[in-house]
Amino acid sequence: MAQQVLSALQMPWLLSAYGTLAQSVAANRLPAAVLLTGVAGIGKRTLADDLASLLICVQPQTTELGYLRACGQCKSCQLKDAGNHPDYLFLTANDKGTITVDAIRELTRVTAQATHQSGRRVIVIVGAEAMNSNAANALLKTLEEPPAGTFIIMTTAVSSRLLPTIISRCQHYPLSASPEQATDWLQQHQLNVDFNVLTLLQNAPLALQNFIQSEEYSQLQAFSALYARWQQGEKGALNELKELIAQAPVERINWLINWVSAEAKQAPSPLALQLSQFYRNLLNSRVVLSQSGINQVLQVEKVISYGVLVNRE
């Protein structure tokens, strides 16, 4: 099924943030810098794009729900949609995963010029955590004295990697979805997901949608079936789990961490204590697996050996 996402207005978990931002635009009170944070797949880029479109639009309209939004028809909207608006600038990491100081300096150069259309200039920086230190410091200078009519909208899934001075100069909007919101939205798109998968992807509806439609989801379903067999006392299932995880250790160790955590919370003692110890070992193993030069297969075998000690009798 093709993913169809039109706007933040179709994502209930974003409506509150969008409404607040849109009201600020209507009242000419939007701060010069906005920071949208949240896990991958929560819709940060969608919200940033909708806000940018609203700022660029010269004749915004009010929806039936009372939300102000871009008209999509005026010259400014058409130029933005075509990627040709002279006052709309978009920046994200390069092929090396970095936002460089040269890229930020180019933004600064452009913002020093007069605007062309509505009198507003909008800069969207997706994945702002990718800025290196020089780029971050260069942007900080712009944030300290933003040109009149210039708005900077940044998104990040890792706000801890941003300079505190950058965060302090932005209006911060943390985004999240509840399990109910994620489940309802997925069901509207004819997709179903269980609690473990919701937890695994932190209730991020767009990430869940992409994952469910990917080939990796079938591997997760196989993993879930193997884990259920291990729960039922079939010791051989643990070896099969090991083989499945070893195919992509860094990504799939999180599956086991999530499933063990959920089981430990419901298991009777002393099984709960054993699972909690296994969970802690898995967390340590995840740190080791992320390091370079590690034999990942051997590390998976080592951590699974702790699971063998779990007594289900």
Side-chain angles (χ1 to χ4, degrees):
M1 181 190 304
Q3 180 176 334
Q4 296 180 351
V5 178
L6 299 179
S7 76
L9 294 175
Q10 294 179 307
M11 303 177 191
W13 63 95
L14 297 181
L15 287 180
S16 177
Y18 179 83
T20 300
L21 289 163
Q23 288 175 357
S24 296
V25 172
N28 291 317
R29 292 199 312 268
L30 186 73
V34 171
L35 177 63
L36 307 177
T37 64
V39 299
I42 201 66
K44 301 182 296 297
R45 182 167 177 171
T46 299
L47 181 56
D49 186 67
D50 280 8
L51 177 58
S53 295
L54 178 58
L55 285 165
I56 289 294
C57 181
V58 296
Q59 50 185 34
Q61 300 177 347
T62 302
T63 68
E64 294 180 357
L65 296 176
Y67 294 101
L68 195 68
R69 66 175 299 172
C71 70
Q73 303 297 322
C74 68
K75 182 178 180 181
S76 284
C77 285
Q78 291 177 350
L79 285 171
K80 178 182 175 296
D81 291 344
N84 296 321
H85 200 295
D87 297 325
Y88 172 72
L89 306 172
F90 177 86
L91 182 62
T92 191
N94 58 24
D95 294 341
K96 296 181 180 179
T98 302
I99 296 176
T100 66
V101 65
D102 288 340
I104 296 297
R105 285 172 178 165
E106 176 61 17
L107 290 182
T108 302
R109 184 190 67 79
V110 174
T111 58
Q113 301 173 359
T115 58
H116 297 77
Q117 298 291 324
S118 65
R120 291 171 175 165
R121 176 174 284 114
V122 182
I123 299 170
V124 173
I125 304 177
V126 168
E129 72 277 2
M131 288 187 292
N132 59 31
S133 59
N134 289 334
N137 284 315
L139 179 65
L140 184 59
K141 294 178 181 179
T142 300
L143 292 176
E144 289 172 345
E145 297 181 11
T150 294
F151 297 91
I152 301 174
I153 307 167
M154 292 184 286
T155 76
T156 182
V158 197
S159 57
S160 60
R161 290 174 55 185
L162 293 178
L163 291 177
T165 45
I166 285 183
I167 295 176
S168 67
R169 284 167 173 76
C170 298
Q171 184 72 47
H172 183 199
Y173 290 85
L175 307 176
S176 63
S178 69
E180 293 76 17
Q181 287 174 323
T183 300
D184 290 347
W185 189 81
L186 289 167
Q187 288 177 344
Q188 291 173 13
H189 291 76
Q190 290 76 53
L191 297 171
N192 294 300
V193 64
D194 63 30
F195 174 78
N196 278 321
V197 180
L198 279 172
T199 305
L200 182 66
L201 295 181
Q202 299 176 274
N203 303 322
L206 302 182
L208 285 159
Q209 183 184 44
N210 288 332
F211 184 70
I212 292 171
Q213 295 172 341
S214 72
E215 293 182 3
E216 188 71 352
Y217 185 54
S218 64
Q219 296 298 311
L220 180 62
Q221 290 176 308
F223 169 91
S224 183
L226 286 171
Y227 192 92
R229 285 166 50 193
W230 181 53
Q231 278 184 300
Q232 295 164 6
E234 188 178 329
K235 295 182 179 179
L238 199 57
N239 284 326
E240 294 183 56
L241 280 173
K242 177 184 67 177
E243 295 174 0
L244 190 61
I245 294 171
Q247 294 171 9
V250 175
E251 296 80 9
R252 295 181 183 177
I253 196 69
N254 287 318
W255 299 357
L256 192 54
I257 288 172
N258 194 66
W259 262 247
V260 170
S261 174
E263 185 186 5
K265 292 175 182 178
Q266 300 179 2
S269 183
L271 177 58
L273 293 176
Q274 295 178 57
L275 288 170
S276 294
Q277 182 58 54
F278 186 27
Y279 172 75
R280 288 190 288 272
N281 290 332
L282 287 167
L283 291 178
N284 291 333
S285 180
R286 180 170 62 184
V287 173
V288 174
L289 285 169
S290 65
Q291 299 172 359
S292 60
I294 294 297
N295 187 318
Q296 295 182 339
V297 174
L298 287 179
Q299 182 61 31
V300 171
E301 291 180 351
K302 179 180 178 181
V303 75
I304 290 297
S305 68
Y306 293 114
V308 174
L309 301 177
V310 174
N311 184 6
R312 294 185 174 278
E313 296 180 357

